[in-house]
């Protein structure tokens, strides 16, 4: 008798993890598949999809489970998952994280917000929504988000054995990082115990989310010879907020001495300056604020600041928009570029 709660036409139960580089979704997918295969005797596979393999870029991890007698011959990306795990809320802006989700599917989100707010942002009509403060747990235990998300996923996928996952955690960390074994097991258990659910009734005959494959504007048949940049100075319009892993710098202007140590270490042109005069009437540049559109939360500025005018804070929804001081690009505004 199968222990899998649901299967698609090929006999697979499928999970897709949506994340950004640095949060450990790739490793989480590997450990999840390993726990199902070695702990329960299921057939399973795992692989990931990512771009430049750097922090902040979108990452997808795919996990398939099937009964022991079923062979896995499908190695394509998972387009119609039964469960989606969203490791980072800012992905909503750039990625359709629930694309292809079954009508009665489950979405797990790393968040501290209310169910209905998250549902609205996801454009989720029905199904089950699960939320867990994976980042908060990881910060307190000094681990990573992925282990807390794994705990929540094991609560959602109740056919999986949590003890098998703990064995995988021990196996993964005990040789190179033995001091991280117990903190990660505690993180897993807290994720398992603290995840919350809310079910939105699925109407009879309801269909799942349509899967949409993002397509580039120019491709093999339409690209100009030699290539072309369609948007000049397009770095100006990029929004790097999706790269933040839950933290950003808070600016306390009353403590700032305008030393520019922050600007020196910032890799992304985040700090906005304006010309003024000091107490003696000499011209000087004064730090006006931070353009959070370009801030990816590396916090190098916090480390460099000598006066604690910059401190790290956990990002709260809407804070960056309310406190953003936008950069001015006069040459662009005057249509020079």
């Amino acid at each position: 008798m199968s222990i899998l709660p649901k299967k698609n036409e090929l006999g697979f139960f499928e999970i897709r993890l949506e994340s950004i580089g640095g949060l450990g979704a790739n490793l989480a997918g590997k450990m999840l598949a390993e726990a199902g295969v070695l702990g329960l005797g299921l057939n399973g596979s795992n692989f990931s999809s990512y771009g430049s393999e750097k922090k902040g870029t979108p990452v997808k991890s795919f996990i398939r489970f099937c009964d022991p007698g079923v062979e896995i011959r499908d190695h394509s990306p998972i387009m119609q998952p039964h469960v989606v795990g969203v490791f980072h809320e800012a992905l909503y802006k750039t990625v359709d994280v629930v694309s292809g989700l079954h009508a009665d599917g489950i979405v797990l989100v790393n968040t501290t917000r209310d169910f209905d707010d998250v549902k609205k942002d996801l454009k989720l009509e029905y199904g089950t929504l699960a939320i867990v403060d994976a980042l908060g747990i990881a910060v307190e235990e000094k681990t990573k988000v992925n282990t807390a998300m794994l705990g929540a996923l094991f609560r959602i996928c109740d056919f999986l054995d949590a003890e098998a996952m703990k064995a995988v955690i021990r196996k993964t960390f005990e040789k190179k990082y033995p001091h991280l074994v117990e903190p990660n097991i505690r993180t897993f258990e807290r994720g398992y115990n603290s995840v919350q659910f809310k079910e939105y009734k699925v109407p009879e005959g309801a269909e799942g989310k349509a899967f949409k494959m993002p397509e580039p504007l120019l491709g093999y048949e339409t690209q100009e010879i030699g290539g072309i940049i369609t948007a000049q100075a397009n770095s100006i319009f990029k929004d790097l907020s999706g790269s933040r892993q839950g933290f950003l710098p808070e600016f306390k202007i009353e403590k700032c001495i305008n030393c520019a140590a922050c600007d020196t270490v910032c890799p992304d042109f985040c700090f906005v300056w304006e010309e003024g005069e000091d107490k003696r009437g000499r011209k000087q540049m004064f730090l006006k604020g931070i353009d959070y559109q370009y801030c990816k939360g590396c916090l190098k500025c916090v480390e460099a600041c000598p006066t604690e005018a910059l401190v790290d804070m956990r990002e709260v929804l809407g804070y960056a928009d309310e406190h953003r001081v936008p950069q001015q690009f006069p040459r662009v505004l005057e249509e020079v570029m």
Side-chain angles (χ1 to χ4, degrees):
M1 183 177 176
S2 176
I3 63 171
L4 296 173
K6 300 172 187 174
K7 301 176 192 175
N8 63 14
E9 63 276 7
L10 297 177
F12 301 144
F13 181 86
E14 298 183 324
I15 303 169
R16 187 174 73 216
L17 306 181
E18 301 274 1
S19 182
I20 61 171
L23 296 183
N26 188 7
L27 179 60
K30 176 180 176 297
M31 294 169 70
L32 181 57
E34 191 174 335
V37 172
L38 300 181
L40 296 173
L42 295 168
N43 276 352
S45 69
N46 157 252
F47 60 98
S48 297
S49 171
Y50 43 81
S52 54
E53 212 170 351
K54 65 180 180 181
K55 285 187 177 182
T57 54
V59 172
K60 295 179 187 290
S61 185
F62 308 105
I63 304 98
R64 284 189 173 95
F65 288 120
C66 59
D67 295 321
V70 179
E71 291 187 25
I72 298 180
R73 295 180 177 177
D74 183 2
H75 301 286
S76 61
I78 291 173
M79 298 182 181
Q80 293 181 303
H82 296 95
V83 176
V84 171
V86 184
F87 281 51
H88 190 28
E89 280 193 281
L91 279 169
Y92 303 168
K93 295 181 179 179
T94 56
V95 178
D96 184 3
V97 294
V98 296
S99 176
L101 182 70
H102 285 272
D104 58 349
I106 304 173
V107 184
L108 169 67
V109 182
N110 170 23
T111 183
T112 57
R113 294 195 296 145
D114 180 75
F115 283 103
D116 292 338
D117 290 339
V118 176
K119 175 179 178 285
K120 182 179 178 182
D121 284 350
L122 288 173
K123 297 181 174 61
L124 195 68
E125 298 175 32
Y126 28 72
T128 301
L129 181 59
I131 60 174
V132 64
D133 183 14
L135 178 61
I137 296 171
V139 169
E140 290 175 13
E141 296 292 347
K142 297 181 180 179
T143 54
K144 281 196 170 183
V145 166
N146 58 351
T147 320
M149 290 292 285
L150 278 172
L153 283 166
F154 266 69
R155 182 77 174 274
I156 290 168
C157 304
D158 54 7
F159 65 93
L160 293 172
D161 183 4
E163 294 304 316
M165 187 69 243
K166 292 178 186 177
V168 171
I169 291 173
R170 290 190 180 93
K171 179 183 174 183
T172 302
F173 292 104
E174 65 186 355
K175 287 186 178 180
K176 287 189 176 181
Y177 312 103
H179 62 288
L180 293 179
V181 173
E182 291 307 317
N184 274 284
I185 288 177
R186 286 198 304 270
T187 303
F188 175 83
E189 290 175 341
R190 288 182 64 181
Y192 185 93
N193 292 321
S194 62
V195 64
Q196 297 177 298
F197 303 87
K198 185 171 182 178
E199 186 174 349
Y200 296 91
K201 189 175 180 181
V202 182
E204 189 175 343
E207 296 183 357
K209 290 274 186 180
F211 179 81
K212 295 181 181 178
M213 180 73 75
E215 296 184 0
L217 181 64
L218 299 175
Y220 175 76
E221 296 182 348
T222 55
Q223 179 65 276
E224 296 286 342
I225 295 175
I228 184 172
I229 298 175
T230 57
Q232 296 89 342
N234 63 350
S235 60
I236 290 175
F237 305 108
K238 284 185 177 178
D239 187 342
L240 298 182
S241 62
S243 301
R244 294 196 286 267
Q245 298 183 30
F247 295 91
L248 46 69
E250 179 185 5
F251 179 46
K252 300 182 178 180
I253 195 169
E254 67 278 3
K255 294 186 178 182
C256 182
I257 59 173
N258 303 297
C259 65
C262 54
D263 206 12
T264 303
V265 298
C266 178
D268 292 303
F269 201 53
C270 297
F271 293 94
V272 182
W273 298 82
E274 63 180 353
E275 186 178 303
E277 293 183 353
D278 63 14
K279 294 177 180 179
R280 297 182 182 179
R282 297 173 299 188
K283 285 189 176 181
Q284 182 181 330
M285 297 301 290
F286 292 88
L287 183 57
K288 188 178 179 182
I290 302 173
D291 191 338
Y292 287 110
Q293 175 180 330
Y294 306 112
C295 178
K296 58 190 178 188
C298 68
L299 302 181
K300 290 180 181 179
C301 56
V302 174
E303 295 175 14
C305 182
T307 64
E308 296 187 346
L310 291 164
V311 295
D312 63 299
M313 63 169 286
R314 181 161 181 185
E315 185 170 3
V316 178
L317 190 70
Y319 179 90
D321 293 333
E322 292 172 10
H323 294 82
R324 178 193 172 203
V325 178
Q327 290 279 11
Q328 298 298 318
F329 300 102
R331 291 185 178 275
V332 176
L333 296 176
E334 294 166 10
E335 298 183 356
V336 175
M337 296 178 70

